[in-house]
Amino acid sequence: MTELSDLELIHPLKLFDIAKNEKRFLYASAPMVRYSKLAFRQTVYAYGTDLCWTPMILAKEFNRNRFARDSDFTISTNGPQPPTIVQFGANVPQELARASSLVAPFSNGVDLNCGCPQSWACAETLGAALMEKRELVRDMVVETREQLRRDGWAVDKEKDINNPKGRSVSVKIRVHKDLRKTIDFIATVLGPERDRHIDWLTIHPRTRSTPSSTPINLEALEILTSTFGTRVPILLSGDVFALNALPFTSPLLTTRPTITTTTTPPRDITSCSSEHPRHNQPPTSLPNLPHVSGLMSARAILCNPALYAGHSTCPWSAVEAFLNNAVRCPLPFKLVLHHLSEMCGPGMGADKSALLTKPERAAMMACGNMLDLIDFLDGRRGVRRGIFTL
Ligand SMILES: Cc1cc2nc3c(=O)[nH]c(=O)nc-3n(C[C@H](O)[C@H](O)[C@H](O)COP(=O)(O)O)c2cc1C
């Protein structure tokens, strides 16, 4: 973690406010273990993302190990510093509070992961296992807010919206099979009507055991947002594949023109599948969800970091931006390759055109180092249009 003084950070609730005034959703990039590192966050920020999540960081390790801190959380000292929410995995109030205290000077807010379904996490009462521990989650966010206040941060939510010391505390959840349990969970974690414990809530409307290929539970989202959406801003995480293909309507859904990448090669039929059935279904009448304040994308933004700028597929310029950022804020080479294979393949939206064909992507994956990779992409892009300017 880099030392940096005088970092002026915007309060995330101010970003919600700005988006609302612009009659649009707040655009967020999801926490993604391995992937939502600085170089990627900078890339999506360049394409209109308002708020970027780090991958989940284990608070206990972060508190105890300097090397864990250095490897898990990096910020930019001289490049764009996207508004950043650091997400922690924790199950002890003091651990979350301590880790939050460590990152508060360098981040806009902290978030608690109550959604990770992986068995190792649940076995340790982390992630989705916390959905059965609502009092513990409440205690963790209360303790964290108090610790941040003791440290001199401004944690009074809307009251501190213009305060450069303003920091947020939020929670990301899944839903239960029995939605009454989710309602009890949220009511407990929110706390008092007039002084809620969290700045906002992110809902991933799938249960711990729902596969990500199953569409999100819109009915659950409708009930939860209509019950709590006037008390707390709610972000939707799940199936945000394209701005013009959301499975609901909203007053914040101002239609923007979709930008189609003009240099895309012919449709990559080999990689097209019916993995994302919603896009193969005829349009039906969509529910109106007026209390969703923001959108959080994971799999789709991984494929297309320019999603919120209205691009229907990943443009070459985003590949170029990502490579530039990855050179300046290094990532393991295999990870760079994986990012690029996602960005150059068919994305999650209805437009399945891809920057590279399947054989071309296989050739890219065979590159052994960064120089070969840049040469390869230069060559491919040169064939399509221009060359990279790294
Ligand atoms: C590769 C990957 C890593 C993820 N890591 C995290 C994480 O660290 N913390 C978290 O809360 N959710 C994590 N998620 C879940 C996403 O944030 C998101 O809630 C989920 O993928 C649904 O959104 P989507 O339909 O846009 O993919 C991850 C998802 C993916 C695909």
Coordinates of all heavy atoms in Angstrom, one line a residue, residues 290-322:
P290 N -38.4 1.5 -9.6 CA -38.0 2.9 -9.4 C -37.0 3.1 -8.2 O -36.4 4.1 -8.1 CB -39.3 3.6 -9.1 CG -40.2 2.6 -8.6 CD -39.8 1.3 -9.2
H291 N -36.8 2.0 -7.4 CA -35.9 2.2 -6.2 C -34.6 1.5 -6.3 O -33.9 1.3 -5.3 CB -36.6 1.8 -4.9 CG -37.9 2.6 -4.7 ND1 -37.9 3.9 -4.5 CD2 -39.2 2.2 -4.7 CE1 -39.1 4.4 -4.4 NE2 -39.9 3.3 -4.4
V292 N -34.2 1.2 -7.6 CA -32.8 0.7 -7.8 C -32.0 2.0 -8.1 O -32.3 2.7 -9.1 CB -32.7 -0.3 -9.0 CG1 -31.3 -0.6 -9.3 CG2 -33.5 -1.5 -8.7
S293 N -31.0 2.3 -7.3 CA -30.2 3.5 -7.5 C -29.0 3.3 -8.5 O -28.5 4.3 -9.0 CB -29.7 4.1 -6.2 OG -30.8 4.3 -5.4
G294 N -28.5 2.1 -8.5 CA -27.3 2.0 -9.3 C -27.1 0.5 -9.8 O -27.8 -0.4 -9.3
L295 N -26.2 0.4 -10.8 CA -25.9 -0.9 -11.4 C -24.5 -1.3 -11.1 O -23.6 -0.4 -11.2 CB -26.1 -0.8 -12.9 CG -27.5 -0.3 -13.4 CD1 -27.4 -0.1 -14.9 CD2 -28.6 -1.2 -13.0
M296 N -24.3 -2.6 -10.8 CA -23.0 -3.1 -10.6 C -22.8 -4.2 -11.6 O -23.5 -5.2 -11.6 CB -22.8 -3.5 -9.2 CG -21.5 -4.2 -8.9 SD -21.4 -4.9 -7.3 CE -20.8 -3.5 -6.3
S297 N -21.7 -4.1 -12.4 CA -21.5 -5.2 -13.4 C -20.2 -6.0 -13.0 O -19.2 -5.4 -12.7 CB -21.4 -4.6 -14.8 OG -21.1 -5.6 -15.7
A298 N -20.2 -7.3 -13.2 CA -19.1 -8.1 -13.0 C -18.6 -8.8 -14.3 O -17.8 -8.3 -15.0 CB -19.3 -9.2 -11.9
R299 N -19.3 -9.9 -14.7 CA -18.9 -10.6 -15.8 C -18.9 -9.8 -17.1 O -18.0 -9.9 -17.9 CB -19.7 -11.9 -16.0 CG -19.5 -12.9 -14.9 CD -20.5 -14.0 -14.9 NE -21.9 -13.5 -14.6 CZ -23.0 -14.1 -14.8 NH1 -23.0 -15.2 -15.4 NH2 -24.2 -13.5 -14.5
A300 N -19.9 -8.9 -17.3 CA -20.0 -8.2 -18.5 C -18.9 -7.1 -18.6 O -18.4 -6.9 -19.7 CB -21.4 -7.6 -18.7
I301 N -18.6 -6.5 -17.5 CA -17.6 -5.4 -17.6 C -16.2 -6.0 -17.7 O -15.3 -5.3 -18.3 CB -17.8 -4.4 -16.4 CG1 -17.2 -3.0 -16.8 CG2 -17.1 -4.9 -15.2 CD1 -17.6 -1.9 -15.9
L302 N -16.1 -7.2 -17.3 CA -14.8 -7.9 -17.5 C -14.6 -8.1 -19.0 O -13.5 -7.9 -19.5 CB -14.9 -9.2 -16.8 CG -13.6 -10.0 -16.4 CD1 -12.7 -9.1 -15.5 CD2 -14.0 -11.3 -15.7
C303 N -15.6 -8.4 -19.7 CA -15.5 -8.6 -21.2 C -15.5 -7.3 -21.9 O -14.9 -7.1 -22.9 CB -16.7 -9.4 -21.7 SG -16.9 -11.0 -21.0
N304 N -16.2 -6.3 -21.3 CA -16.4 -5.0 -22.0 C -16.2 -3.9 -21.0 O -17.3 -3.4 -20.6 CB -17.7 -5.0 -22.8 CG -18.0 -3.6 -23.4 OD1 -17.0 -2.8 -23.6 ND2 -19.2 -3.4 -23.8
P305 N -15.0 -3.4 -20.8 CA -14.9 -2.3 -19.8 C -15.5 -1.0 -20.2 O -15.7 -0.1 -19.4 CB -13.3 -2.2 -19.7 CG -12.8 -3.4 -20.2 CD -13.7 -3.9 -21.2
A306 N -15.9 -0.9 -21.5 CA -16.6 0.3 -22.0 C -18.1 0.2 -21.9 O -18.8 1.0 -22.5 CB -16.1 0.6 -23.4
L307 N -18.6 -0.8 -21.2 CA -20.0 -1.0 -21.1 C -20.8 0.2 -20.8 O -21.8 0.6 -21.4 CB -20.2 -2.1 -20.1 CG -21.6 -2.6 -19.7 CD1 -21.7 -4.1 -20.0 CD2 -22.0 -2.4 -18.3
Y308 N -20.4 0.9 -19.7 CA -21.2 2.1 -19.2 C -21.0 3.3 -20.1 O -21.8 4.3 -20.0 CB -20.8 2.5 -17.8 CG -21.2 1.4 -16.8 CD1 -20.2 1.0 -15.8 CD2 -22.5 0.9 -16.7 CE1 -20.6 0.0 -14.9 CE2 -22.8 0.0 -15.8 CZ -21.9 -0.5 -14.8 OH -22.2 -1.4 -13.9
A309 N -20.0 3.3 -21.1 CA -19.9 4.3 -22.0 C -20.9 4.1 -23.2 O -20.9 4.8 -24.2 CB -18.5 4.5 -22.5
G310 N -21.6 3.0 -23.1 CA -22.6 2.7 -24.2 C -22.1 1.8 -25.3 O -22.8 1.6 -26.3
H311 N -20.8 1.3 -25.2 CA -20.3 0.4 -26.2 C -21.0 -1.0 -26.1 O -21.0 -1.6 -25.1 CB -18.8 0.2 -26.1 CG -18.0 1.4 -26.5 ND1 -17.5 1.6 -27.8 CD2 -17.8 2.6 -25.8 CE1 -16.9 2.8 -27.8 NE2 -17.0 3.4 -26.7
S312 N -21.4 -1.5 -27.3 CA -22.1 -2.8 -27.2 C -21.1 -3.9 -27.1 O -21.5 -5.0 -26.6 CB -23.0 -3.0 -28.5 OG -22.2 -3.0 -29.6
T313 N -19.9 -3.7 -27.5 CA -18.8 -4.7 -27.3 C -17.6 -4.0 -27.0 O -17.5 -2.7 -27.1 CB -18.6 -5.5 -28.6 OG1 -18.2 -4.6 -29.6 CG2 -19.8 -6.3 -29.0
C314 N -16.5 -4.7 -26.6 CA -15.3 -4.1 -26.2 C -14.6 -3.4 -27.4 O -14.3 -4.1 -28.4 CB -14.4 -5.1 -25.5 SG -12.8 -4.4 -25.0
P315 N -14.3 -2.1 -27.3 CA -13.6 -1.5 -28.4 C -12.1 -1.7 -28.3 O -11.6 -1.9 -27.2 CB -13.9 0.0 -28.3 CG -14.2 0.2 -26.8 CD -14.7 -1.1 -26.3
W316 N -11.3 -1.6 -29.4 CA -9.9 -1.7 -29.3 C -9.3 -0.7 -28.4 O -8.3 -1.0 -27.7 CB -9.2 -1.6 -30.7 CG -9.2 -2.8 -31.5 CD1 -10.0 -3.0 -32.7 CD2 -8.5 -4.0 -31.3 NE1 -9.7 -4.3 -33.1 CE2 -8.8 -4.9 -32.3 CE3 -7.6 -4.4 -30.3 CZ2 -8.2 -6.2 -32.4 CZ3 -7.0 -5.6 -30.3 CH2 -7.3 -6.5 -31.4
S317 N -9.9 0.5 -28.3 CA -9.3 1.5 -27.4 C -9.3 1.1 -26.0 O -8.4 1.4 -25.2 CB -10.1 2.8 -27.6 OG -11.4 2.6 -27.2
A318 N -10.3 0.2 -25.6 CA -10.3 -0.2 -24.2 C -9.2 -1.3 -24.0 O -8.6 -1.3 -22.9 CB -11.6 -0.8 -23.8
V319 N -8.9 -2.1 -25.0 CA -7.8 -3.0 -24.9 C -6.5 -2.2 -24.7 O -5.6 -2.5 -23.9 CB -7.7 -3.9 -26.2 CG1 -6.5 -4.8 -26.2 CG2 -9.0 -4.8 -26.3
E320 N -6.4 -1.2 -25.5 CA -5.2 -0.3 -25.5 C -5.0 0.3 -24.1 O -4.0 0.3 -23.5 CB -5.3 0.7 -26.6 CG -4.0 1.5 -26.7 CD -4.2 2.5 -27.9 OE1 -5.1 2.4 -28.7 OE2 -3.3 3.4 -28.0
A321 N -6.1 0.9 -23.6 CA -6.1 1.5 -22.3 C -5.7 0.5 -21.2 O -4.9 0.8 -20.3 CB -7.5 2.1 -22.0
F322 N -6.3 -0.7 -21.3 CA -6.0 -1.7 -20.3 C -4.5 -2.0 -20.3 O -3.8 -2.1 -19.3 CB -6.8 -2.9 -20.5 CG -6.4 -4.0 -19.5 CD1 -6.7 -4.0 -18.2 CD2 -5.8 -5.2 -20.0 CE1 -6.3 -5.0 -17.3 CE2 -5.4 -6.2 -19.2 CZ -5.6 -6.1 -17.8

